[in-house]
Every structure is written in structure tokens, then in C-alpha cells.
Amino acid sequence: MKKIEAIVRHFKLEDVKNALSEQGIAGMTITEVRGFGRQKGHTETYRGTEYAVDFVPKVKIEVAVDHERSQLVIDTIIKAAQTGQIGDGKIFVSDLSETIRIRTGEVGNEAL
């Protein structure tokens, strides 16, 4: 099993969610996060004063899938979230050693 974490732009969340749903991915967790990468934030002007925004708001999408579907999920997220501009985000893939559904006690792929 794999855990796929994608950091994407806020306005791409619905596109990614809909694209994953079309591929049959039923569950995901969404978290609002802040951070920066190569772009190192940006500057904004408020009431005539320019100030630096070091941490850019993004959305983190977490999806747990079986190993066979992980590449499909990665490709789907890339296609749905990509704008071609700096700041499109990142995808992190981790191995899951175990998954347990609390309600039933199911483990492994059955818990997904």
C-alpha cells in the first residue's frame, strides 16, 4: 500500500478531487497548509505598503491506495493540478506498512 501526499494550489483542489473520483478513488483527506519552495514566497501590496508573504497557502491532499493503483493516482493528480507555472506543488509517495479500519478492525487493502 502507498500513501500519496500532494501539495497543490487552492484553486486546483476541485479539479484534483473530481479527477480522482472519476478514477474510482473514494477517500482522501484535505488539509490547508502553508509553505514555500523555489519561489520563496511572494510580495503583496496592502494599502500602499508592500510586504513579503513568506509562506504561500496551499492544500495537501492525502490518499491511501494499493500499490497497483498508485501510479494511476499520481498521474491523475499531475494532470489535474498542473498549470505549468512555478508553485504547482509536489507529490510525496510513502510505503504504508499497515492500514486498519477502526470500526470493523479490517486490515490491509480491505481497510481502504
Side-chain angles (χ1 to χ4, degrees):
M1 292 176 293
K2 300 284 185 184
K3 178 179 179 184
I4 300 168
E5 297 175 77
I7 312 292
V8 301
R9 299 174 187 265
H10 271 90
F11 66 88
K12 286 297 197 172
L13 175 59
E14 284 298 314
D15 293 343
V16 173
K17 182 187 74 126
N18 292 337
L20 289 172
S21 294
E22 287 174 11
Q23 295 297 331
I25 305 302
M28 63 188 77
T29 301
I30 308 299
T31 310
E32 292 191 18
V33 296
R34 300 174 79 70
F36 67 90
R38 287 185 181 162
Q39 76 229 40
K40 309 233 187 329
H42 62 280
T43 58
E44 289 186 6
T45 304
Y46 178 71
R47 293 187 179 185
T49 304
E50 191 172 283
Y51 63 98
V53 177
D54 294 331
F55 294 99
V56 179
K58 301 280 184 164
V59 176
K60 178 164 72 169
I61 302 165
E62 296 175 89
V63 181
V65 294
D66 59 3
H67 178 74
E68 292 76 31
R69 301 193 75 195
S70 61
Q71 193 59 50
L72 172 69
V73 170
I74 292 165
D75 293 342
T76 301
I77 292 171
I78 290 171
K79 185 176 178 185
Q82 193 173 58
T83 68
Q85 303 295 316
I86 291 176
D88 275 352
K90 295 273 190 296
I91 297 175
F92 305 99
V93 181
S94 307
D95 288 321
L96 286 178
S97 61
E98 192 168 9
T99 303
I100 303 162
R101 185 185 310 262
I102 294 173
R103 179 178 53 89
T104 62
E106 294 171 301
V107 296
N109 288 337
E110 292 79 33
L112 296 177

